[in-house]
Amino acid sequence: PMFLMVNTGLFLFIIATIVISYAVCQNSLAGAQGAWFPELFQAKTRASGASLAYQISAMVSGFTPFITTLLFVSFGWIGPALLFSFYGAIGLWAALVTRETWGRRERQLAAEAEAATPAGVTV
């Protein structure tokens, strides 16, 4: 939809696309990554695992402008639009298959620990 809005050539739609893509999409992605990536790893590998995830994504995104240009030359605006849709599909798939790290067992253990703590004592 954003490619369609830009291709109208209307200044208002182009500005709206930029605002939506950066202010909404990019910031919601960046906000979720800070909490999501570290949760994917155990405490002993959390820093290196999250860093590795960021670095691999930087490597892939480093080639994206080149690939996007090739797709645009070959297929027009639909090429880059499909590439970004593919990236979005990968992200959606990853979000759906990622195991919840604060599941039923962890909540039960936390409730038991809280129940075992004497009143007035903070842990």
Side-chain angles (χ1 to χ4, degrees), residues 19-108:
V19 168
I20 291 169
S21 66
Y22 284 107
V24 177
C25 297
Q26 175 63 27
N27 289 330
S28 61
L29 176 77
Q33 280 180 343
W36 186 32
F37 282 179
E39 289 241 351
L40 296 174
F41 305 96
Q42 295 176 356
K44 63 182 178 181
T45 59
R46 185 164 292 153
S48 58
S51 177
L52 186 63
Y54 276 111
Q55 301 314 313
I56 290 174
S57 66
M59 287 185 339
V60 170
S61 65
F63 289 104
T64 297
F66 178 69
I67 296 168
T68 302
T69 302
L70 291 176
L71 289 171
F72 181 77
V73 168
S74 299
F75 303 105
W77 68 268
I78 195 72
L82 290 174
L83 176 68
F84 293 128
S85 297
F86 176 69
Y87 284 172
I90 290 172
L92 177 62
W93 174 79
L96 293 174
V97 300
T98 300
R99 185 180 63 83
E100 174 60 55
T101 58
W102 183 251
R104 184 177 305 153
R105 180 176 169 265
E106 289 79 13
R107 285 191 294 273
Q108 183 177 358

